[in-house]
PDB file of all heavy atoms in Angstrom:
ATOM      1  N   LYS A  37      44.000  -4.693  40.880  1.00 88.00           N
ATOM      2  CA  LYS A  37      44.871  -4.948  39.902  1.00 88.00           C
ATOM      3  C   LYS A  37      44.221  -5.240  38.650  1.00 88.00           C
ATOM      4  O   LYS A  37      43.415  -6.259  38.524  1.00 88.00           O
ATOM      5  CB  LYS A  37      45.749  -6.251  40.272  1.00 88.00           C
ATOM      6  CG  LYS A  37      46.666  -6.182  41.608  1.00 88.00           C
ATOM      7  CD  LYS A  37      47.307  -7.422  41.815  1.00 88.00           C
ATOM      8  CE  LYS A  37      48.248  -7.219  42.994  1.00 88.00           C
ATOM      9  NZ  LYS A  37      49.016  -8.523  43.351  1.00 88.00           N
ATOM     10  N   THR A  38      44.375  -4.538  37.614  1.00 90.00           N
ATOM     11  CA  THR A  38      43.758  -4.718  36.281  1.00 90.00           C
ATOM     12  C   THR A  38      44.634  -5.866  35.470  1.00 90.00           C
ATOM     13  O   THR A  38      45.807  -5.877  35.669  1.00 90.00           O
ATOM     14  CB  THR A  38      43.614  -3.444  35.559  1.00 90.00           C
ATOM     15  OG1 THR A  38      44.900  -3.020  35.308  1.00 90.00           O
ATOM     16  CG2 THR A  38      42.899  -2.417  36.250  1.00 90.00           C
ATOM     17  N   PHE A  39      43.877  -6.527  34.683  1.00 88.00           N
ATOM     18  CA  PHE A  39      44.521  -7.652  33.906  1.00 88.00           C
ATOM     19  C   PHE A  39      43.948  -7.581  32.427  1.00 88.00           C
ATOM     20  O   PHE A  39      42.831  -7.185  32.385  1.00 88.00           O
ATOM     21  CB  PHE A  39      44.495  -8.958  34.558  1.00 88.00           C
ATOM     22  CG  PHE A  39      43.099  -9.543  34.629  1.00 88.00           C
ATOM     23  CD1 PHE A  39      42.581 -10.262  33.562  1.00 88.00           C
ATOM     24  CD2 PHE A  39      42.304  -9.235  35.735  1.00 88.00           C
ATOM     25  CE1 PHE A  39      41.292 -10.853  33.708  1.00 88.00           C
ATOM     26  CE2 PHE A  39      41.018  -9.805  35.846  1.00 88.00           C
ATOM     27  CZ  PHE A  39      40.585 -10.524  34.912  1.00 88.00           C
ATOM     28  N   SER A  40      44.685  -7.923  31.612  1.00 92.00           N
ATOM     29  CA  SER A  40      44.251  -8.229  30.110  1.00 92.00           C
ATOM     30  C   SER A  40      45.154  -9.266  29.502  1.00 92.00           C
ATOM     31  O   SER A  40      46.299  -9.089  29.422  1.00 92.00           O
ATOM     32  CB  SER A  40      44.366  -6.796  29.396  1.00 92.00           C
ATOM     33  OG  SER A  40      43.956  -7.049  28.146  1.00 92.00           O
ATOM     34  N   HIS A  41      44.397 -10.258  29.190  1.00 90.00           N
ATOM     35  CA  HIS A  41      45.295 -11.460  28.496  1.00 90.00           C
ATOM     36  C   HIS A  41      44.442 -11.972  27.384  1.00 90.00           C
ATOM     37  O   HIS A  41      43.298 -11.872  27.254  1.00 90.00           O
ATOM     38  CB  HIS A  41      45.398 -12.617  29.521  1.00 90.00           C
ATOM     39  CG  HIS A  41      46.125 -12.246  30.785  1.00 90.00           C
ATOM     40  ND1 HIS A  41      47.485 -11.893  30.677  1.00 90.00           N
ATOM     41  CD2 HIS A  41      45.755 -12.046  32.071  1.00 90.00           C
ATOM     42  CE1 HIS A  41      47.890 -11.584  32.037  1.00 90.00           C
ATOM     43  NE2 HIS A  41      46.906 -11.688  32.825  1.00 90.00           N
ATOM     44  N   ALA A  42      45.262 -12.625  26.362  1.00 95.00           N
ATOM     45  CA  ALA A  42      44.608 -13.413  25.401  1.00 95.00           C
ATOM     46  C   ALA A  42      44.006 -14.798  25.824  1.00 95.00           C
ATOM     47  O   ALA A  42      44.545 -15.239  26.951  1.00 95.00           O
ATOM     48  CB  ALA A  42      45.577 -13.646  24.253  1.00 95.00           C
ATOM     49  N   GLY A  43      43.072 -15.222  25.288  1.00 96.00           N
ATOM     50  CA  GLY A  43      42.419 -16.478  25.711  1.00 96.00           C
ATOM     51  C   GLY A  43      42.027 -17.330  24.401  1.00 96.00           C
ATOM     52  O   GLY A  43      42.139 -16.814  23.334  1.00 96.00           O
ATOM     53  N   ILE A  44      41.538 -18.467  24.625  1.00 97.00           N
ATOM     54  CA  ILE A  44      40.984 -19.292  23.561  1.00 97.00           C
ATOM     55  C   ILE A  44      39.595 -19.819  23.947  1.00 97.00           C
ATOM     56  O   ILE A  44      39.443 -20.604  24.972  1.00 97.00           O
ATOM     57  CB  ILE A  44      41.926 -20.593  23.484  1.00 97.00           C
ATOM     58  CG1 ILE A  44      43.313 -20.083  23.087  1.00 97.00           C
ATOM     59  CG2 ILE A  44      41.280 -21.522  22.271  1.00 97.00           C
ATOM     60  CD1 ILE A  44      44.323 -21.302  22.932  1.00 97.00           C
ATOM     61  N   PRO A  45      38.518 -19.180  23.281  1.00 97.00           N
ATOM     62  CA  PRO A  45      37.116 -19.639  23.759  1.00 97.00           C
ATOM     63  C   PRO A  45      36.931 -20.945  23.002  1.00 97.00           C
ATOM     64  O   PRO A  45      37.341 -21.125  21.788  1.00 97.00           O
ATOM     65  CB  PRO A  45      36.289 -18.473  23.184  1.00 97.00           C
ATOM     66  CG  PRO A  45      37.175 -17.856  22.179  1.00 97.00           C
ATOM     67  CD  PRO A  45      38.536 -18.042  22.452  1.00 97.00           C
ATOM     68  N   LEU A  46      36.251 -21.833  23.576  1.00 97.00           N
ATOM     69  CA  LEU A  46      35.812 -23.090  22.972  1.00 97.00           C
ATOM     70  C   LEU A  46      34.292 -23.375  23.143  1.00 97.00           C
ATOM     71  O   LEU A  46      33.769 -22.940  24.281  1.00 97.00           O
ATOM     72  CB  LEU A  46      36.595 -24.259  23.698  1.00 97.00           C
ATOM     73  CG  LEU A  46      38.100 -24.201  23.682  1.00 97.00           C
ATOM     74  CD1 LEU A  46      38.674 -25.255  24.685  1.00 97.00           C
ATOM     75  CD2 LEU A  46      38.624 -24.378  22.306  1.00 97.00           C
ATOM     76  N   GLU A  47      33.701 -23.958  22.186  1.00 97.00           N
ATOM     77  CA  GLU A  47      32.325 -24.300  22.414  1.00 97.00           C
ATOM     78  C   GLU A  47      31.981 -25.495  21.673  1.00 97.00           C
ATOM     79  O   GLU A  47      32.547 -25.787  20.510  1.00 97.00           O
ATOM     80  CB  GLU A  47      31.379 -23.133  21.884  1.00 97.00           C
ATOM     81  CG  GLU A  47      29.928 -23.434  21.857  1.00 97.00           C
ATOM     82  CD  GLU A  47      29.138 -22.328  21.241  1.00 97.00           C
ATOM     83  OE1 GLU A  47      29.183 -21.231  21.824  1.00 97.00           O
ATOM     84  OE2 GLU A  47      28.349 -22.616  20.401  1.00 97.00           O
ATOM     85  N   ALA A  48      31.151 -26.413  22.215  1.00 97.00           N
ATOM     86  CA  ALA A  48      30.712 -27.647  21.470  1.00 97.00           C
ATOM     87  C   ALA A  48      29.212 -27.667  21.652  1.00 97.00           C
ATOM     88  O   ALA A  48      28.667 -27.431  22.728  1.00 97.00           O
ATOM     89  CB  ALA A  48      31.336 -28.846  22.093  1.00 97.00           C
ATOM     90  N   GLN A  49      28.514 -28.106  20.637  1.00 96.00           N
ATOM     91  CA  GLN A  49      27.066 -28.314  20.634  1.00 96.00           C
ATOM     92  C   GLN A  49      26.683 -29.628  20.041  1.00 96.00           C
ATOM     93  O   GLN A  49      27.230 -30.050  19.039  1.00 96.00           O
ATOM     94  CB  GLN A  49      26.383 -27.186  19.911  1.00 96.00           C
ATOM     95  CG  GLN A  49      26.637 -25.796  20.183  1.00 96.00           C
ATOM     96  CD  GLN A  49      25.836 -24.776  19.378  1.00 96.00           C
ATOM     97  OE1 GLN A  49      24.971 -25.175  18.687  1.00 96.00           O
ATOM     98  NE2 GLN A  49      26.330 -23.620  19.411  1.00 96.00           N
ATOM     99  N   TRP A  50      25.836 -30.281  20.751  1.00 94.00           N
ATOM    100  CA  TRP A  50      25.309 -31.544  20.125  1.00 94.00           C
ATOM    101  C   TRP A  50      23.684 -31.434  20.258  1.00 94.00           C
ATOM    102  O   TRP A  50      23.216 -31.304  21.374  1.00 94.00           O
ATOM    103  CB  TRP A  50      25.808 -32.742  20.852  1.00 94.00           C
ATOM    104  CG  TRP A  50      25.155 -34.001  20.406  1.00 94.00           C
ATOM    105  CD1 TRP A  50      25.324 -34.519  19.093  1.00 94.00           C
ATOM    106  CD2 TRP A  50      24.328 -34.922  21.114  1.00 94.00           C
ATOM    107  NE1 TRP A  50      24.634 -35.748  19.004  1.00 94.00           N
ATOM    108  CE2 TRP A  50      23.984 -36.016  20.199  1.00 94.00           C
ATOM    109  CE3 TRP A  50      23.773 -34.822  22.409  1.00 94.00           C
ATOM    110  CZ2 TRP A  50      23.191 -36.960  20.599  1.00 94.00           C
ATOM    111  CZ3 TRP A  50      23.152 -35.923  22.787  1.00 94.00           C
ATOM    112  CH2 TRP A  50      22.742 -36.992  21.926  1.00 94.00           C
ATOM    113  N   ILE A  51      23.072 -31.484  19.145  1.00 92.00           N
ATOM    114  CA  ILE A  51      21.554 -31.536  19.141  1.00 92.00           C
ATOM    115  C   ILE A  51      20.962 -32.798  18.526  1.00 92.00           C
ATOM    116  O   ILE A  51      21.458 -33.122  17.457  1.00 92.00           O
ATOM    117  CB  ILE A  51      21.078 -30.319  18.331  1.00 92.00           C
ATOM    118  CG1 ILE A  51      21.639 -29.033  18.957  1.00 92.00           C
ATOM    119  CG2 ILE A  51      19.613 -30.201  18.365  1.00 92.00           C
ATOM    120  CD1 ILE A  51      21.403 -27.726  18.201  1.00 92.00           C
ATOM    121  N   TRP A  52      20.194 -33.411  19.294  1.00 91.00           N
ATOM    122  CA  TRP A  52      19.511 -34.678  18.713  1.00 91.00           C
ATOM    123  C   TRP A  52      18.081 -34.459  18.610  1.00 91.00           C
ATOM    124  O   TRP A  52      17.398 -33.852  19.438  1.00 91.00           O
ATOM    125  CB  TRP A  52      19.792 -35.749  19.795  1.00 91.00           C
ATOM    126  CG  TRP A  52      19.036 -37.005  19.500  1.00 91.00           C
ATOM    127  CD1 TRP A  52      19.207 -37.773  18.275  1.00 91.00           C
ATOM    128  CD2 TRP A  52      18.243 -37.911  20.291  1.00 91.00           C
ATOM    129  NE1 TRP A  52      18.500 -38.935  18.359  1.00 91.00           N
ATOM    130  CE2 TRP A  52      17.770 -38.973  19.600  1.00 91.00           C
ATOM    131  CE3 TRP A  52      17.696 -37.644  21.546  1.00 91.00           C
ATOM    132  CZ2 TRP A  52      17.040 -39.851  20.107  1.00 91.00           C
ATOM    133  CZ3 TRP A  52      16.959 -38.462  22.091  1.00 91.00           C
ATOM    134  CH2 TRP A  52      16.546 -39.719  21.362  1.00 91.00           C
TER     135      TRP A  52
END
Side-chain angles (χ1 to χ4, degrees):
K37 296 180 178 182
T38 59
F39 66 90
S40 180
H41 300 293
I44 302 172
L46 304 170
E47 181 180 298
Q49 302 178 17
W50 176 64
I51 302 169
W52 176 54

